Amino acid sequence: MTTVPLYDAKPYDHLFFVKEGDAAGVKYEFHAFRLDASTAPSAVGAEAVCVFVNDAIDRPCLEALERGGVRLVALRCAGFNQVDLRAAAEIGIRIVRVPAYSPHAVAEHTVALLLSMNRKIHRAYNRVREHNFSLSGLVGFDLHGRVAGIVGTGKIGRLTASILRGFGMKVLVYDLYPDEEWARETGCLYVPLEELFATADVVSLHTPLTPETHYLVDGDALAMMKDGAYLVNTSRGGLVDTTALIGALKSHKLGGVALDVYEIEEGVFFEDLSHDVLQDDDLARLVSFPNVLITSHQGFLTEEALSEIARVTTANLVRFGEGGDFLPGTELKAP
Ligand code: NAI
């Protein structure tokens, strides 16, 4: 296996990928910039590249990679909406991902956001640091007895549902493929999506981003939601229509919004722009609401998840180099 360029690399990537790579004989070359058609020439001579959620693996990028000799793109994430799978199949580049590294990491972050937003921990922290010990404006509500609505009952949605059941919430769920047995065992209830939106005090999104789920939460869905409801999105930014969301916040329709993902993360999320001018007016507006809490796509950021991502990715690179099969369930095929 030739050296593997790893794009959008952060210090924590170095830490975990060097450790796994050294143990398995895979040498990574870390690039801080993202991979797209314009940066693809940096991969010339490599057989495989390693990318993350905001690299643009579209047709022009795949064509450029292929010209340079790349035959495998290894995603060090679960979501793959940034990849044109059909183009990859036509061009002859194989794609692998890490389908599950730590669903616990994302479910726990989802609940951390919900608790922080509800009990205004982010505001209280800043106040106390300035010796402002007033409680005005910090009133939340008991989650116990309230209704949560979980959209998408895959790995992360199920764990989130279980944690919220532990708080004594009633949990309504929705999925294209309901698992009634799981719902019975956990005490959750599958309902139609409209009923979930209309009934839940807290709506949490856990579906992948697909053409069907794009703008799953649009103006109509927001209008259906209860006045004062909370919306939590740790899945993908494209699930929510940002313009409609800002409207629902300005009109006080929603009580709070917690986001770990955003429609246009590229060039902003994961970057330190504290000395720059934020060009995205929608994001700047969202940040300005007192009842909006945003983290920069950090749901996956635990030691367990990072080492599992590095382990699975490196194992697949080794297998590819040896001409063997990828780890089960990690290769993506065009639909
Ligand atoms: P999963 O594949 O286990 O579950 C996804 C669920 O969504 C499945 O049950 C599927 O049937 C359902 N679904 C798909 N299309 C649907 C539709 N149109 N309507 C209703 N349900 C639908 O995936 P997992 O591991 O639970 O991850 C969920 C998402 O979380 C990922 O796709 C990814 O976008 C996001 N994620 C976010 C991370 C973060 O750091 N914030 C890290 C990892 C994943």
Side-chain angles (χ1 to χ4, degrees):
M1 169 66 50
T2 52
T3 298
V4 179
L6 185 149
Y7 295 91
D8 207 4
K10 303 293 181 226
Y12 46 82
D13 292 314
H14 289 246
L15 208 63
F16 289 90
F17 275 87
V18 166
K19 189 169 165 229
E20 284 295 331
D22 283 354
V26 174
K27 185 159 172 37
Y28 290 101
E29 183 180 56
F30 296 94
H31 295 302
F33 57 87
R34 276 173 283 129
L35 178 63
D36 60 22
S38 70
T39 58
S42 60
V44 169
E47 292 166 84
V49 296
C50 181
V51 304
F52 196 46
V53 293
N54 290 324
D55 296 289
I57 318 304
D58 52 13
R59 185 179 287 275
C61 177
L62 287 159
E63 283 170 352
L65 288 175
E66 193 269 338
R67 281 196 297 276
V70 171
R71 290 179 293 119
L72 174 70
V73 174
L75 312 180
R76 56 181 194 282
C77 54
F80 52 90
N81 50 285
Q82 73 280 37
V83 184
D84 185 339
L85 289 180
R86 201 177 299 273
E90 284 166 19
I91 291 164
I93 292 185
R94 296 172 79 182
I95 311 283
V96 287
R97 65 168 176 152
V98 188
Y101 26 94
S102 173
H104 296 280
V106 187
E108 289 173 14
H109 190 69
T110 304
V111 177
L113 283 175
L114 170 60
L115 292 173
S116 302
M117 174 180 55
N118 179 35
R119 303 304 298 271
K120 335 283 183 209
I121 305 296
H122 54 303
R123 301 187 67 200
Y125 173 78
N126 283 326
R127 278 191 196 185
V128 170
R129 281 167 63 90
E130 298 209 343
H131 301 177
N132 173 357
F133 298 97
S134 125
L135 299 182
S136 301
L138 300 186
V139 179
F141 57 70
D142 284 13
L143 292 176
H144 182 271
R146 295 280 184 148
V147 181
I150 303 285
V151 185
T153 53
K155 293 175 284 298
I156 296 168
R158 286 178 193 218
L159 288 170
T160 306
S162 294
I163 298 172
L164 298 183
R165 286 289 297 141
F167 288 162
M169 296 190 84
K170 179 177 176 190
V171 179
L172 304 179
V173 290
Y174 171 77
D175 198 289
L176 279 187
Y177 307 100
D179 181 345
E180 294 291 355
E181 195 181 330
W182 164 80
R184 248 192 323 278
E185 281 166 6
T186 348
C188 297
L189 184 65
Y190 278 102
V191 294
L193 187 58
E194 292 71 22
E195 186 179 334
L196 184 153
F197 282 145
T199 318
D201 297 295
V202 176
V203 173
S204 191
L205 307 179
H206 300 285
T207 65
L209 177 61
T210 63
E212 293 74 41
T213 60
H214 183 249
Y215 285 1
L216 183 89
V217 176
D218 57 6
D220 291 343
L222 289 164
M224 257 183 257
M225 286 169 63
K226 281 172 83 168
D227 290 347
Y230 289 163
L231 176 68
V232 183
N233 185 10
T234 58
S235 199
R236 282 294 179 268
L239 298 179
V240 179
D241 177 347
T242 304
T243 308
L245 183 67
I246 290 171
L249 282 159
K250 284 173 79 173
S251 67
H252 303 283
K253 169 74 186 172
L254 292 179
V257 173
L259 306 175
D260 187 47
V261 288
Y262 176 65
E263 258 195 277
I264 310 163
E265 293 181 6
E266 291 83 354
V268 180
F269 276 31
F270 311 125
E271 308 302 333
D272 178 2
L273 303 181
S274 55
H275 299 289
D276 210 336
V277 172
L278 189 55
Q279 296 296 327
D280 185 330
D281 291 349
D282 284 345
L283 182 57
R285 186 68 181 101
L286 280 175
V287 168
S288 76
F289 290 104
N291 54 346
V292 173
L293 181 56
I294 301 178
T295 52
S296 178
H297 206 137
Q298 70 176 74
F300 70 99
L301 205 64
T302 66
E303 291 171 7
E304 289 79 1
L306 288 169
S307 49
E308 183 63 3
I309 289 167
R311 185 190 71 77
V312 170
T313 305
T314 305
N316 270 336
L317 289 165
V318 169
R319 286 164 176 241
F320 183 69
E322 292 170 350
D325 292 335
F326 292 119
L327 291 170
T330 57
E331 183 165 16
L332 288 167
K333 302 276 189 191

